Amino acid sequence: MSNDIGAFANRLGKNIKHLRKWAQRQGLEAWRMYDRDIPQYPFAVDIYKDQVHLQEYDTGWLMQKAEYEEWLGGVTEAIVFVTGLPADNIHVKRRARQKGKEQYEKTGAEGTDFVIHEYGRAFWVNLDKYLDTGLFIDHRNTRRLIGNLAEGKRFLNLFAYTGSFTVYAATGGAILSETVDLSNTYLQWAKRNFELNGLDSLKHQIVRADVFLYLQQAAELSRQFDLIVMDPPSFSNSKKMRDILDIQRDQEKLIDGAMHLLAPQGVLFFSNNLRSFTLNAGLHQRYSVRDISANTVPDDFRNTRIHQCWEIRHR
């Protein structure tokens, strides 16, 4: 593999020139500067305010330790040169192919929590503590869509992670919401995001539950929501869950469960980031389904298959 870092630095320079201005115009403090544009440099480079989240994708390449360190050092140097930020502001993650809940696992580093802004909303992020940062920036457009649709609606957020969809729904005028996840860590994070954005905790409830059980119990109570977001992990074998979640296998159970809670004129947004995922034909027969992925993947993502997203309504 060539150590010629010039092509990488040039691409970074070209991208940042255009994207930095674009992000400022949009009111975005978190955005993707480089998205594996050059195959020899398989990285995602994300800017979070004045910090850089540098993720290396696992390509299966084998390199000697010294050669690898030199290569990574060159990558870091190029980022420092182009962004003008100090090397200490670059947070490196080596990204093996993830299986489900591993994406949320701790890294062993503590890191620092800080706040970034996106379309007038504020979120806590941490670039070191977990493999992910607390905000999935590939769903920025989807969040904005939810915010625009939420006025006067009852909102449900399933597999809610740190509650960012709820922040958009609530600040967009949702009259009530439930934010459901099984992880205490992420629900605490969601709570801090809610406080940061001035959400009323009486109207916007946080629910710690296994989503499968929640769907069952909410159906028994005849709960109804006008707007539902479900963005499950591809796979999860969390010890707290009754069963292992496999999104390809379990999609109908989850979508039928959510549709059971959806008011007649309501809409469910269902998304996941499993590249090989296909939506079962039975769902197309039962519901009105529209693939909106082309609109939900943001302009700063070169990889347009970063996630898939569908709008699902009652027929």
Side-chain angles (χ1 to χ4, degrees):
M1 233 173 321
S2 155
N3 259 345
D4 170 31
I5 202 84
F8 176 66
N10 286 342
R11 180 56 65 96
L12 284 181
K14 200 172 140 196
N15 289 3
I16 198 169
K17 207 171 162 184
H18 156 64
L19 288 167
R20 195 180 252 165
K21 286 182 189 140
W22 169 83
Q24 277 168 347
R25 279 199 307 273
Q26 302 273 328
L28 305 174
E29 290 181 334
W31 46 280
R32 179 151 291 188
M33 179 168 99
Y34 174 92
D35 195 12
R36 206 174 172 169
D37 303 32
I38 300 168
Q40 293 89 322
Y41 293 94
F43 293 92
V45 182
D46 295 327
I47 303 290
Y48 284 78
K49 223 177 213 171
D50 63 348
Q51 306 290 315
V52 179
H53 192 238
L54 173 64
Q55 302 168 74
E56 180 195 348
Y57 289 103
D58 180 17
T59 52
W61 295 341
L62 294 174
M63 295 169 86
Q64 294 296 328
K65 192 171 186 328
E67 186 195 357
Y68 173 75
E69 294 303 337
E70 190 186 333
W71 178 68
L72 195 58
V75 167
T76 313
E77 225 170 277
I79 294 170
V80 167
F81 176 74
V82 168
T83 61
L85 296 169
D88 285 352
N89 291 28
I90 300 175
H91 308 258
V92 183
K93 302 262 177 73
R94 176 145 199 190
R95 190 117 193 183
R97 290 202 175 96
Q98 294 309 318
K99 278 272 172 66
K101 79 174 186 87
E102 285 174 21
Q103 67 186 8
Y104 307 135
E105 294 287 283
K106 286 191 173 183
T107 58
E110 268 310 297
T112 308
D113 293 355
F114 63 99
V115 173
I116 66 101
H117 292 86
E118 178 186 275
Y119 295 135
R121 281 80 168 184
F123 300 97
W124 285 104
V125 294
N126 185 312
L127 306 191
D128 299 303
K129 200 169 186 178
Y130 302 90
L131 282 176
D132 285 308
T133 64
L135 188 69
F136 291 120
I137 58 175
D138 64 295
H139 266 304
R140 188 195 302 128
N141 289 0
T142 328
R143 287 191 281 274
R144 196 182 199 183
L145 181 61
I146 294 301
N148 291 341
L149 291 172
E151 182 140 18
K153 305 278 189 355
R154 298 162 294 177
F155 177 65
L156 175 62
N157 187 358
L158 299 167
F159 300 100
Y161 187 44
T162 59
S164 58
F165 280 116
T166 310
V167 167
Y168 271 79
T171 52
I175 51 172
L176 62 86
S177 72
E178 293 199 3
T179 297
V180 184
D181 203 283
L182 196 49
S183 161
N184 260 332
T185 302
Y186 289 108
L187 290 179
Q188 281 301 321
W189 199 322
K191 187 169 181 275
R192 291 172 67 214
N193 279 337
F194 289 8
E195 286 162 0
L196 198 56
N197 292 278
L199 271 56
D200 177 345
S201 62
L202 293 175
K203 288 200 304 195
H204 303 289
Q205 306 267 327
I206 285 174
V207 181
R208 182 169 182 252
D210 176 327
V211 168
F212 288 103
L213 286 176
Y214 173 89
L215 290 171
Q216 207 178 307
Q217 287 162 357
E220 285 163 11
L221 295 167
S222 305
R223 301 299 310 276
Q224 289 274 280
F225 296 91
D226 310 293
L227 189 56
I228 303 178
V229 168
M230 180 157 55
D231 181 28
S234 309
F235 178 86
S236 179
N237 54 3
S238 165
K239 294 180 189 69
K240 300 180 210 120
M241 276 178 76
R242 250 197 344 195
D243 305 305
I244 286 171
L245 166 69
D246 173 335
I247 195 54
Q248 185 63 55
R249 181 195 67 201
D250 297 329
Q251 55 175 295
E252 293 203 32
K253 190 177 175 187
L254 284 169
I255 290 170
D256 286 343
M259 293 302 284
H260 203 85
L261 306 180
L262 188 70
Q265 302 306 312
V267 56
L268 162 69
F269 291 94
F270 171 72
S271 174
N272 72 75
N273 62 358
L274 178 66
R275 279 193 85 121
S276 60
F277 182 85
T278 51
L279 202 67
N280 288 353
L283 293 165
H284 288 276
Q285 286 157 12
R286 289 199 286 290
Y287 309 116
S288 168
V289 177
R290 196 162 71 96
D291 185 338
I292 58 166
S293 313
N295 301 331
T296 59
V297 175
D299 294 348
D300 45 332
F301 279 74
R302 204 182 60 88
N303 171 16
T304 55
R305 294 181 60 201
I306 187 85
H307 68 243
Q308 296 183 75
C309 189
W310 291 267
E311 187 184 278
I312 305 177
R313 299 172 186 270
H314 293 295
R315 283 200 178 283

